[in-house]
Amino acid sequence: MTLKELSFFYKLCENPQVTQVASELNISQSAISLAIKSLENSLNEQLFDRIGKKLILNEKGKYFKEKTLPHYQALIDATTIFQENKLAGNIKIAASKTISNYIMPNIYYDFLLKYKDVKLDILTINSSKIIDKILKSELDIGLIEADVQNSNLIKEKLGDDELIIVTSDKNYKKEAFIDTIEKKWILREIGSGTRKIFIDKIGDIAKELDIFMELQNCKEIKTIVLNNPETVTAISKVIVQKELDEKKLFQIKLKNLELKREFYLIYHKEKSKNLLFKTFIEFIKSRFNKNYLL
């Protein structure tokens, strides 16, 4: 049996008038009759009772329709799913914690809202683990906070970010050299993009810092700093903007030092760049450009 024969069958299930169905489909009545006869021969069963110019579904036909219609509809979906917008499939993506928690949720949501046949497998891990998984081809796309140089990776800049030094001590000095900040440092774990950028920027001074705690979650770090004025952290400005505006956290501006960094999108150079992949990347880049560039 063919999809064309089945399509005629289901049309006649809804309208037994062969002439009307033929007119609707812009084909001859004999073409429909031959297709239905071929379908019945392949099943070795009669599906319709012939009454005048009508084809009336009989019990065998009703049973056949009940058993096959869901599968037919699934097959039709399969033939058209790539024709409508060519955007269907599964993307494996991981973002570092700052990007994942504070920038990407609405971007993921809006993309899935627009392309309903796409599925995203989303991970939140630190930048070094993302790079490792991209190199092993365990991810399609990675979003990281650290610069990376590897001949097997394609890297595209998404936007600029700034790490700032904050404390909840409103009476503390508003500007300082980093080695004169006499507070307990709460930092991200080794392997995080935030940690790497911070340590690389301050160089040898890192050895002199009083690193009191290392945590894997920016929210935990923010909570500790909010509740303990004797602490300080280096954190993305996007994470603490609300608390800065509400005067719950206070920035300590660094003398002679800027902690600028970039957000990057990475993927393996051998990655197949189908339309879904390209569209998703362009969607992410456009949203970063629109909403998150400093």
Side-chain angles (χ1 to χ4, degrees):
M1 66 186 73
T2 67
L3 286 176
K4 181 176 288 187
E5 291 171 355
L6 289 170
S7 70
F8 292 165
F9 169 77
Y10 295 118
K11 283 285 186 182
L12 289 166
C13 288
E14 302 302 323
N15 183 357
Q17 297 282 357
V18 179
T19 54
Q20 293 179 8
V21 173
S23 176
E24 179 185 340
L25 298 175
N26 196 28
I27 59 174
S28 66
Q29 296 180 44
S30 60
I32 292 181
S33 297
L34 288 172
I36 295 301
K37 191 63 178 177
S38 174
L39 176 60
E40 290 178 328
N41 288 339
S42 67
L43 295 170
N44 199 28
E45 290 286 353
Q46 187 172 316
L47 302 175
F48 295 94
D49 293 330
R50 274 73 174 170
I51 302 175
K53 294 184 178 181
K54 295 181 180 180
L55 292 180
I56 307 297
L57 200 64
N58 61 25
E59 293 304 315
K60 291 287 186 180
K62 292 175 182 177
Y63 182 74
F64 180 75
K65 176 187 177 184
E66 178 188 346
K67 292 296 183 182
T68 62
L69 183 57
H71 304 290
Y72 170 79
Q73 291 171 333
L75 284 171
I76 294 301
D77 287 343
T79 63
T80 61
I81 191 169
F82 295 112
Q83 295 174 8
E84 292 179 1
N85 53 28
K86 297 187 182 297
L87 286 175
N90 191 13
I91 295 179
K92 295 180 180 178
I93 181 170
S96 60
K97 293 175 183 178
T98 299
I99 300 173
S100 182
N101 292 333
Y102 295 93
I103 297 176
M104 287 306 296
N106 284 332
I107 297 178
Y108 291 143
Y109 178 82
D110 290 344
F111 189 80
L112 292 174
L113 201 63
K114 185 173 183 179
Y115 302 107
K116 294 179 172 55
D117 293 319
V118 175
K119 180 182 177 183
L120 300 179
D121 292 336
I122 301 168
L123 287 176
T124 301
I125 51 180
N126 67 37
S127 294
S128 62
K129 291 180 180 178
I130 291 173
I131 293 167
D132 182 60
K133 285 183 176 292
I134 291 287
L135 291 173
K136 292 178 179 177
S137 297
E138 296 175 0
L139 289 171
D140 298 314
I141 297 170
L143 305 175
I144 62 174
E145 306 159 17
D147 196 357
V148 57
Q149 304 297 327
N150 190 298
S151 60
N152 289 314
L153 294 177
I154 302 297
K155 178 182 67 175
E156 298 187 32
K157 180 180 173 180
L158 287 174
D160 297 303
D161 186 37
E162 180 184 6
L163 296 181
I164 62 173
I165 310 303
V166 296
T167 179
S168 59
D169 184 356
K170 65 180 180 180
N171 296 316
Y172 199 68
K173 51 192 173 184
K174 306 305 179 187
E175 189 175 10
F177 291 104
I178 192 163
D179 55 352
T180 66
I181 299 175
E182 299 172 344
K183 286 185 177 292
K184 294 180 172 64
W185 284 88
I186 313 297
L187 296 181
R188 285 286 305 280
E189 82 285 4
I190 294 174
S192 79
T194 298
R195 168 69 173 259
K196 184 178 187 306
I197 292 293
F198 178 60
I199 297 299
D200 288 350
K201 290 282 188 180
I202 65 176
D204 292 337
I205 297 174
K207 300 174 184 178
E208 303 174 19
L209 296 185
D210 178 12
I211 301 177
F212 186 72
M213 291 182 70
E214 298 174 339
L215 297 169
Q216 296 185 2
N217 192 299
C218 296
K219 291 182 180 179
E220 293 175 348
I221 291 174
K222 184 164 66 171
T223 298
I224 290 174
V225 175
L226 280 167
N227 294 325
N228 298 277
E230 70 276 12
T231 64
V232 68
T233 191
I235 197 167
S236 172
K237 191 172 184 178
V238 70
I239 296 176
V240 295
Q241 187 62 61
K242 181 174 181 288
E243 287 76 16
L244 291 171
D245 293 341
E246 294 175 350
K247 307 296 185 184
K248 294 178 179 178
L249 288 176
F250 304 89
Q251 180 178 355
I252 304 172
K253 292 185 178 181
L254 297 178
K255 295 181 178 180
N256 302 328
L257 182 62
E258 285 190 340
L259 299 178
K260 300 287 187 178
R261 66 172 178 179
E262 293 80 35
F263 291 142
Y264 293 101
L265 182 150
I266 61 171
Y267 53 90
H268 200 285
K269 71 175 184 179
E270 302 297 335
K271 169 66 185 169
S272 174
K273 301 169 188 65
N274 57 35
L275 184 59
L276 172 57
F277 180 83
K278 292 178 181 178
T279 301
F280 188 45
I281 284 181
E282 289 305 314
F283 191 87
I284 292 172
K285 289 164 66 175
S286 69
R287 289 294 298 271
F288 256 85
N289 289 334
K290 182 178 180 180
N291 297 324
Y292 302 110
L293 278 174
L294 296 179

PDB file of all heavy atoms in Angstrom, residues 154-166:
ATOM      1  N   ILE A 154      36.221  25.972  17.350  1.00  0.00           N
ATOM      2  CA  ILE A 154      35.801  27.239  16.771  1.00  0.00           C
ATOM      3  C   ILE A 154      35.248  28.092  17.905  1.00  0.00           C
ATOM      4  O   ILE A 154      34.426  27.630  18.687  1.00  0.00           O
ATOM      5  CB  ILE A 154      34.713  27.041  15.699  1.00  0.00           C
ATOM      6  CG1 ILE A 154      35.216  26.115  14.598  1.00  0.00           C
ATOM      7  CG2 ILE A 154      34.270  28.385  15.137  1.00  0.00           C
ATOM      8  CD1 ILE A 154      36.402  26.645  13.822  1.00  0.00           C
ATOM      9  N   LYS A 155      35.721  29.331  17.987  1.00  0.00           N
ATOM     10  CA  LYS A 155      35.345  30.223  19.086  1.00  0.00           C
ATOM     11  C   LYS A 155      34.745  31.497  18.509  1.00  0.00           C
ATOM     12  O   LYS A 155      35.312  32.110  17.617  1.00  0.00           O
ATOM     13  CB  LYS A 155      36.584  30.554  19.924  1.00  0.00           C
ATOM     14  CG  LYS A 155      36.348  31.509  21.064  1.00  0.00           C
ATOM     15  CD  LYS A 155      37.653  31.796  21.788  1.00  0.00           C
ATOM     16  CE  LYS A 155      38.624  32.582  20.915  1.00  0.00           C
ATOM     17  NZ  LYS A 155      39.850  32.969  21.631  1.00  0.00           N
ATOM     18  N   GLU A 156      33.567  31.871  19.012  1.00  0.00           N
ATOM     19  CA  GLU A 156      32.919  33.106  18.585  1.00  0.00           C
ATOM     20  C   GLU A 156      32.588  33.943  19.818  1.00  0.00           C
ATOM     21  O   GLU A 156      31.985  33.435  20.767  1.00  0.00           O
ATOM     22  CB  GLU A 156      31.641  32.811  17.804  1.00  0.00           C
ATOM     23  CG  GLU A 156      31.872  32.022  16.519  1.00  0.00           C
ATOM     24  CD  GLU A 156      30.613  31.896  15.688  1.00  0.00           C
ATOM     25  OE1 GLU A 156      29.789  32.828  15.732  1.00  0.00           O
ATOM     26  OE2 GLU A 156      30.451  30.871  15.008  1.00  0.00           O
ATOM     27  N   LYS A 157      32.963  35.193  19.775  1.00  0.00           N
ATOM     28  CA  LYS A 157      32.679  36.079  20.903  1.00  0.00           C
ATOM     29  C   LYS A 157      31.195  36.411  20.951  1.00  0.00           C
ATOM     30  O   LYS A 157      30.585  36.752  19.942  1.00  0.00           O
ATOM     31  CB  LYS A 157      33.495  37.359  20.778  1.00  0.00           C
ATOM     32  CG  LYS A 157      33.256  38.347  21.914  1.00  0.00           C
ATOM     33  CD  LYS A 157      34.102  39.602  21.743  1.00  0.00           C
ATOM     34  CE  LYS A 157      33.747  40.651  22.773  1.00  0.00           C
ATOM     35  NZ  LYS A 157      34.553  41.888  22.630  1.00  0.00           N
ATOM     36  N   LEU A 158      30.609  36.308  22.148  1.00  0.00           N
ATOM     37  CA  LEU A 158      29.200  36.645  22.342  1.00  0.00           C
ATOM     38  C   LEU A 158      29.025  38.060  22.894  1.00  0.00           C
ATOM     39  O   LEU A 158      28.104  38.764  22.521  1.00  0.00           O
ATOM     40  CB  LEU A 158      28.552  35.654  23.310  1.00  0.00           C
ATOM     41  CG  LEU A 158      28.298  34.247  22.775  1.00  0.00           C
ATOM     42  CD1 LEU A 158      27.786  33.354  23.902  1.00  0.00           C
ATOM     43  CD2 LEU A 158      27.301  34.270  21.636  1.00  0.00           C
ATOM     44  N   GLY A 159      29.891  38.455  23.805  1.00  0.00           N
ATOM     45  CA  GLY A 159      29.739  39.766  24.408  1.00  0.00           C
ATOM     46  C   GLY A 159      30.795  40.000  25.458  1.00  0.00           C
ATOM     47  O   GLY A 159      31.585  39.120  25.795  1.00  0.00           O
ATOM     48  N   ASP A 160      30.805  41.212  25.985  1.00  0.00           N
ATOM     49  CA  ASP A 160      31.753  41.600  27.028  1.00  0.00           C
ATOM     50  C   ASP A 160      31.097  41.521  28.399  1.00  0.00           C
ATOM     51  O   ASP A 160      29.894  41.725  28.538  1.00  0.00           O
ATOM     52  CB  ASP A 160      32.239  43.029  26.788  1.00  0.00           C
ATOM     53  CG  ASP A 160      32.998  43.150  25.486  1.00  0.00           C
ATOM     54  OD1 ASP A 160      33.988  42.429  25.321  1.00  0.00           O
ATOM     55  OD2 ASP A 160      32.583  43.962  24.639  1.00  0.00           O
ATOM     56  N   ASP A 161      31.902  41.233  29.379  1.00  0.00           N
ATOM     57  CA  ASP A 161      31.434  41.206  30.759  1.00  0.00           C
ATOM     58  C   ASP A 161      32.498  41.869  31.622  1.00  0.00           C
ATOM     59  O   ASP A 161      33.627  42.111  31.180  1.00  0.00           O
ATOM     60  CB  ASP A 161      31.190  39.761  31.207  1.00  0.00           C
ATOM     61  CG  ASP A 161      30.572  39.674  32.597  1.00  0.00           C
ATOM     62  OD1 ASP A 161      29.731  40.542  32.912  1.00  0.00           O
ATOM     63  OD2 ASP A 161      30.915  38.763  33.364  1.00  0.00           O
ATOM     64  N   GLU A 162      32.142  42.157  32.848  1.00  0.00           N
ATOM     65  CA  GLU A 162      33.085  42.767  33.785  1.00  0.00           C
ATOM     66  C   GLU A 162      32.955  42.084  35.135  1.00  0.00           C
ATOM     67  O   GLU A 162      31.853  41.927  35.660  1.00  0.00           O
ATOM     68  CB  GLU A 162      32.793  44.258  33.932  1.00  0.00           C
ATOM     69  CG  GLU A 162      33.732  44.963  34.894  1.00  0.00           C
ATOM     70  CD  GLU A 162      33.353  46.424  35.089  1.00  0.00           C
ATOM     71  OE1 GLU A 162      32.302  46.848  34.573  1.00  0.00           O
ATOM     72  OE2 GLU A 162      34.116  47.120  35.798  1.00  0.00           O
ATOM     73  N   LEU A 163      34.090  41.659  35.665  1.00  0.00           N
ATOM     74  CA  LEU A 163      34.114  41.194  37.048  1.00  0.00           C
ATOM     75  C   LEU A 163      34.341  42.405  37.943  1.00  0.00           C
ATOM     76  O   LEU A 163      35.174  43.261  37.638  1.00  0.00           O
ATOM     77  CB  LEU A 163      35.250  40.190  37.260  1.00  0.00           C
ATOM     78  CG  LEU A 163      35.168  38.871  36.497  1.00  0.00           C
ATOM     79  CD1 LEU A 163      36.355  37.993  36.858  1.00  0.00           C
ATOM     80  CD2 LEU A 163      33.875  38.151  36.762  1.00  0.00           C
ATOM     81  N   ILE A 164      33.596  42.456  39.015  1.00  0.00           N
ATOM     82  CA  ILE A 164      33.780  43.554  39.960  1.00  0.00           C
ATOM     83  C   ILE A 164      33.984  42.975  41.360  1.00  0.00           C
ATOM     84  O   ILE A 164      33.604  41.827  41.638  1.00  0.00           O
ATOM     85  CB  ILE A 164      32.586  44.537  39.953  1.00  0.00           C
ATOM     86  CG1 ILE A 164      31.295  43.827  40.387  1.00  0.00           C
ATOM     87  CG2 ILE A 164      32.428  45.163  38.581  1.00  0.00           C
ATOM     88  CD1 ILE A 164      30.118  44.780  40.575  1.00  0.00           C
ATOM     89  N   ILE A 165      34.567  43.782  42.217  1.00  0.00           N
ATOM     90  CA  ILE A 165      34.791  43.387  43.610  1.00  0.00           C
ATOM     91  C   ILE A 165      33.668  43.982  44.447  1.00  0.00           C
ATOM     92  O   ILE A 165      33.418  45.194  44.385  1.00  0.00           O
ATOM     93  CB  ILE A 165      36.145  43.901  44.128  1.00  0.00           C
ATOM     94  CG1 ILE A 165      37.260  43.542  43.144  1.00  0.00           C
ATOM     95  CG2 ILE A 165      36.423  43.327  45.518  1.00  0.00           C
ATOM     96  CD1 ILE A 165      37.392  42.072  42.841  1.00  0.00           C
ATOM     97  N   VAL A 166      32.989  43.141  45.208  1.00  0.00           N
ATOM     98  CA  VAL A 166      31.858  43.630  46.012  1.00  0.00           C
ATOM     99  C   VAL A 166      31.949  43.124  47.446  1.00  0.00           C
ATOM    100  O   VAL A 166      32.512  42.066  47.727  1.00  0.00           O
ATOM    101  CB  VAL A 166      30.501  43.206  45.406  1.00  0.00           C
ATOM    102  CG1 VAL A 166      30.294  43.829  44.036  1.00  0.00           C
ATOM    103  CG2 VAL A 166      30.367  41.690  45.351  1.00  0.00           C
TER     104      VAL A 166
END
